[in-house]
Amino acid sequence: GVKWRYLVEINFELKSDLSQEEFFKIKSDPEYAQKIVPEILTLIKLISKDGNVSVYEEHSTFKGFRTKSIIQHTIDSSKIHEIKILEGDGEGSIIKEVFKSLPNGNSKLIVTGNLELSGPYKKMSIITKKLIHKIIKDLYITLEESHKKYLNQNPRKQFGEYN
């Protein structure tokens, strides 16, 4: 049969009071993310790692969406994180995250890409791009808040020694 496709262009910015390196770490390391939001990232399994490219099986539940995907993460220094969904829900999606330092020590994240709405994401096609942006931003904000909570609960852990 014909594969159902619905592509949504993503483009938004998010500011954080975390440093660029710290914000990058929590967004680009699926294993750390699972540690701080196990209720969202229900399974993270490393399939392969080659230099700055790693591939994970990831299962997640967020705002009523349950997804299972094989996701490739490519890291370029601590500034660029590219996510490609190779198989499963959202297959074909490519999202690029660019992290920038701000003069006050805070950081800014610029997110661009195309989200392929397939599988459980199909029902999102009836909602607006604005709402899709809001859901993704909410996920990032949840990660950031959970990171701060995790550090408060583990005061001996300094940035750089999360694992």
Side-chain angles (χ1 to χ4, degrees):
V2 177
K3 194 168 179 224
W4 186 92
R5 290 173 64 108
Y6 185 82
L7 209 62
V8 173
E9 194 181 322
I10 295 170
N11 192 331
F12 64 86
E13 291 185 6
L14 201 60
K15 286 196 167 96
S16 170
D17 61 2
L18 297 174
S19 71
Q20 180 249 318
E21 292 84 4
E22 198 167 356
F23 199 24
F24 180 81
K25 167 78 180 172
I26 66 171
K27 275 298 297 114
S28 64
D29 181 346
E31 291 173 44
Y32 177 67
Q34 188 193 28
K35 191 179 279 189
I36 61 173
V37 287
E39 68 286 355
I40 294 175
L41 285 166
T42 53
L43 175 90
I44 293 287
K45 196 167 93 190
L46 181 65
I47 295 171
S48 67
K49 188 168 175 50
D50 183 13
N52 64 338
V53 179
S54 46
V55 177
Y56 287 87
E57 178 180 353
E58 303 185 24
H59 297 189
S60 63
T61 304
F62 189 65
K63 306 235 174 215
F65 294 96
R66 299 170 67 84
T67 62
K68 292 179 182 178
S69 308
I70 305 289
I71 301 177
Q72 175 181 295
H73 296 265
T74 304
I75 287 169
D76 180 0
S77 67
S78 59
K79 291 181 172 58
I80 299 169
H81 175 217
E82 191 177 79
I83 300 157
K84 277 186 187 168
I85 303 183
L86 305 179
E87 286 175 37
D89 303 321
E91 183 178 325
S93 299
I94 298 179
I95 295 170
K96 186 177 181 182
E97 302 171 334
V98 178
F99 296 78
K100 299 196 176 214
S101 289
L102 298 175
N104 57 5
N106 296 354
S107 57
K108 178 167 79 170
L109 167 60
I110 299 152
V111 180
T112 55
N114 287 302
L115 193 59
E116 181 77 59
L117 299 183
S118 62
Y121 295 115
K122 269 190 208 177
K123 60 184 175 192
M124 284 175 86
S125 63
I126 57 167
I127 63 179
T128 62
K129 182 172 165 178
K130 193 173 163 185
L131 192 52
I132 290 169
H133 280 175
K134 184 182 173 350
I135 291 169
I136 297 170
K137 278 184 190 174
D138 284 351
L139 179 60
Y140 289 5
I141 290 163
T142 302
L143 267 173
E144 188 180 348
E145 287 169 352
S146 300
H147 165 72
K148 290 173 181 171
K149 217 178 286 176
Y150 178 78
L151 289 188
N152 287 339
Q153 289 162 357
N154 299 273
R156 288 186 305 280
K157 290 218 185 261
Q158 295 301 311
F159 170 64
E161 44 170 294
Y162 296 142
N163 297 326

